[in-house]
Amino acid sequence: MKLTLRVWRQRAADADGAMSTYEVDGISADMSFLEMLDTLNEELILTGEDPVAFDHDCREGICGACSLVINGDAHGPERTTTCQLHMRSFADGDTIDVEPWRAAAFPVVKDLVVDRSAFDRIIQAGGYVTAPTGAAPEAHATPVPKPDADLAFEHAECIGCGACVAACPNGAAMLFTSAKVNHLNVLPQGAPERETRVLDMVAQMDEEGFGGCTLAGECATACPKGIPLVSITGMNKEWLRATRKVSGR
Amino acid sequence: MARTVWDSSVGKKTVMAVSGLIMLLYLVVHMIGNLKIFFGPGEFNHYAHWLRTVGEPFMHYEWTLWLIRIVLVAAVVAHAISAYQLSRRDIRARPAKYVHRKARASYATRTMRWGGIILALFIVWHILDLTTGTVHAGGFQEGHPYQNIVDTFSTWYGNVIYVVAMLALGLHIRHGFWSAAQTLGVGSRTRDRALKTVADILALLLTAGFLAVPVGVMTGVVN
């Protein structure tokens, strides 16, 4: 396959960026999108140019490190992570636009790399349990109803990649935050911090400069792990419950 | 608690949802009342007069009406201020736009902000036209709403403003009602279809019900 790439190049956080055009040839349909970028970078290095910086780690779709908005879609046209997107999703001769996640809370570090530490601070605000849980517990020790376990698992799938923020027209982190809140709030281990968790995480989310939810639904469409939009409804419910309870004390 | 709610983006959405639902409830009553115009000037003008005497003798003349007006003004103001502040936050949160843009979300969702501005301007015009009579065309008569409505919809601009505003209203309710349910945490996977259907029905009924009046004047059913 021969492709034309239009890639966002930005030398540093405070530098101006622009789209640069590159031609890549000899791309196999079985390559992942990141392998295709590796090919481009090898060529750039050979010609003495600065290779395109992009985040990646496990390349198995489970770590949440890779990002990229490809042709306007977070993680590209398939509902998966960029590392699991294969070049067979594109046709020979295509022009592909590659941009970084765009949000005030995710500043560009270089080229396609953005700083997602705002997510870490949201987690630090309440995305944990204080109960000592040790190793995997004996199943009968703390019974968890099946529907609750399913709900927790569904939300625990969130890998914190930030595609929800990138896709949201308001740069909101509601889907990410709601996945963490719902995951822990439904479990007995998360019960002691049920109220403070949602209040503190939402407050931190606002503090970081993420936008608000207008229920456009783009986040859930982009999420490679299929966190549903109704997750946000669940967090709103928890937030209202916590606000009532905490102020009633 | 009020501080927690107002300082949070989720809390401000709650204010929007509750104030929106108050306005929606009022609109349903308003629309049903409007349809009385098809029973002639006698019944319609009598209904308008009755609105001022509701609650008597406990309430003085127009007290109930003013009470409703105060609640509505509070709802409009709360809705508008929250919308303004939340929109500012949203726009600030995405300072750099994507080069490759795609048409996103539904039309109703994308037009919430402009639709809201259109509706706010409409409310001002509507009150100046048919409540105070300040910008009314062709001699405003206090206590004769039937005649005043016929006057308004006998002008081309009166019809244009009204039709545009009612279409904006339908779109606004379509996304707004469903969104309010999500904000208040009453939406769920099993209820989603029902909520969307109710939103569509409300949007359609209110738009059609309100538009029936200018259509009635235009076709000569109301004159």
Side-chain angles (χ1 to χ4, degrees):
Chain A
M1 286 167 82
K2 191 177 174 188
L3 299 162
T4 305
L5 296 173
R6 297 205 305 155
V7 183
W8 181 261
R9 299 305 306 264
Q10 183 173 337
R11 282 169 47 183
D14 51 1
D16 286 335
M19 298 295 270
S20 293
T21 308
Y22 303 98
E23 304 280 338
V24 279
D25 205 351
I27 299 298
S28 152
D30 296 329
M31 277 182 179
S32 76
F33 199 85
L34 297 185
E35 285 167 334
M36 184 275 294
L37 287 179
D38 291 339
T39 310
L40 169 70
N41 278 346
E42 280 166 12
E43 286 172 21
L44 290 178
I45 291 164
L46 284 176
T47 56
E49 273 191 69
D50 196 21
V52 178
F54 60 90
D55 268 325
H56 61 102
D57 191 17
C58 75
R59 299 207 179 196
E60 290 182 326
I62 56 168
C63 77
C66 61
S67 54
L68 310 187
V69 169
I70 302 161
N71 283 342
D73 289 320
H75 289 303
E78 308 287 334
R79 190 168 176 162
T80 183
T81 53
T82 299
C83 63
Q84 295 298 300
L85 172 68
H86 291 87
M87 296 315 293
R88 66 182 79 99
S89 299
F90 300 90
D92 187 36
D94 274 1
T95 298
I96 307 171
D97 290 334
V98 190
E99 297 174 75
W101 282 176
R102 291 291 190 196
F106 285 169
V108 173
V109 177
K110 189 186 178 187
D111 296 338
L112 303 170
V113 177
V114 297
D115 180 0
R116 282 172 279 186
S117 51
F119 269 13
D120 298 339
R121 291 187 291 273
I122 293 176
I123 293 293
Q124 282 163 14
Y128 51 81
V129 295
T130 52
T133 50
E138 199 274 318
H140 291 297
T142 312
V144 178
K146 180 75 164 80
D148 290 355
D150 287 347
L151 194 79
F153 267 124
E154 185 181 20
H155 290 107
E157 277 197 65
C158 169
I159 51 177
C161 63
C164 44
V165 176
C168 175
N170 313 320
M174 289 287 280
L175 196 71
F176 165 76
T177 311
S178 68
K180 303 303 171 191
V181 165
N182 289 321
H183 164 204
L184 297 174
N185 274 22
V186 75
L187 293 173
Q189 290 84 349
E193 298 90 22
R194 186 172 169 187
E195 289 83 27
T196 53
R197 173 176 301 114
V198 63
L199 294 175
D200 294 347
M201 289 180 85
V202 167
Q204 189 63 38
M205 184 185 84
D206 284 348
E207 177 75 29
E208 295 293 342
F210 288 106
C213 182
T214 50
L215 290 148
E218 295 300 331
C219 54
T221 309
C223 179
K225 297 295 161 183
I227 307 295
L229 189 60
V230 75
S231 178
I232 291 174
T233 313
M235 179 168 78
N236 289 337
K237 193 175 177 180
E238 283 294 309
W239 189 89
L240 288 170
R241 178 188 168 278
T243 304
R244 280 197 306 272
K245 278 203 99 167
V246 168
S247 61
R249 266 174 209 160
Chain B
M1 181 166 162
R3 205 63 258 172
T4 328
V5 170
W6 191 246
D7 285 347
S8 167
S9 64
V10 175
K12 257 183 203 133
K13 285 282 293 180
T14 313
V15 173
M16 288 209 75
V18 173
S19 56
L21 289 175
I22 291 169
M23 291 188 276
L24 181 61
L25 182 72
Y26 168 77
L27 284 179
V28 172
V29 177
H30 186 21
M31 188 271 286
I32 294 169
N34 280 5
L35 294 180
K36 291 205 166 61
I37 201 160
F38 291 102
F39 298 106
E43 180 158 347
F44 190 73
N45 290 347
H46 176 253
Y47 161 71
H49 179 72
W50 171 80
L51 286 177
R52 282 146 183 82
T53 62
V54 179
E56 281 182 4
F58 180 73
M59 299 297 264
H60 185 68
Y61 180 75
E62 281 197 350
W63 274 17
T64 312
L65 192 66
W66 273 104
L67 201 67
I68 294 169
R69 284 171 176 170
I70 290 164
V71 171
L72 282 175
V73 167
V76 169
V77 169
H79 202 74
I81 293 176
S82 313
Y84 174 74
Q85 294 187 353
L86 286 167
S87 298
R88 288 259 323 226
R89 157 178 283 278
D90 294 349
I91 293 162
R92 268 203 308 267
R94 171 62 57 70
K97 302 274 170 271
Y98 289 109
V99 174
H100 192 116
R101 283 188 216 180
K102 287 201 157 180
R104 301 224 168 257
S106 71
Y107 190 72
T109 311
R110 284 186 280 125
T111 52
M112 285 306 271
R113 283 178 196 144
W114 278 109
I117 292 167
I118 289 172
L119 289 171
L121 293 173
F122 169 76
I123 292 168
V124 173
W125 174 78
H126 192 53
I127 290 170
L128 292 177
D129 179 34
L130 290 170
T131 307
T132 65
T134 320
V135 298
H136 190 72
F140 183 77
Q141 300 173 69
E142 188 82 45
H144 292 84
Y146 187 96
Q147 286 73 12
N148 293 334
I149 286 168
V150 172
D151 290 346
T152 292
F153 294 127
S154 300
T155 62
W156 66 269
Y157 61 85
N159 285 310
V160 170
I161 295 172
Y162 199 83
V163 170
V164 168
M166 289 312 107
L167 293 176
L169 178 72
L171 288 170
H172 208 75
I173 290 170
R174 185 171 193 231
H175 183 69
F177 177 79
W178 176 79
S179 291
Q182 311 309 315
T183 302
L184 297 175
V186 295
S188 74
R189 257 177 266 247
T190 44
R191 267 186 232 144
D192 202 53
R193 267 187 84 129
L195 282 169
K196 279 196 167 129
T197 311
V198 172
D200 285 351
I201 291 172
L202 273 172
L204 215 65
L205 278 184
L206 282 169
T207 308
F210 279 121
L211 285 181
V213 179
V215 169
V217 176
M218 277 187 255
T219 54
V221 179
V222 176
N223 59 41

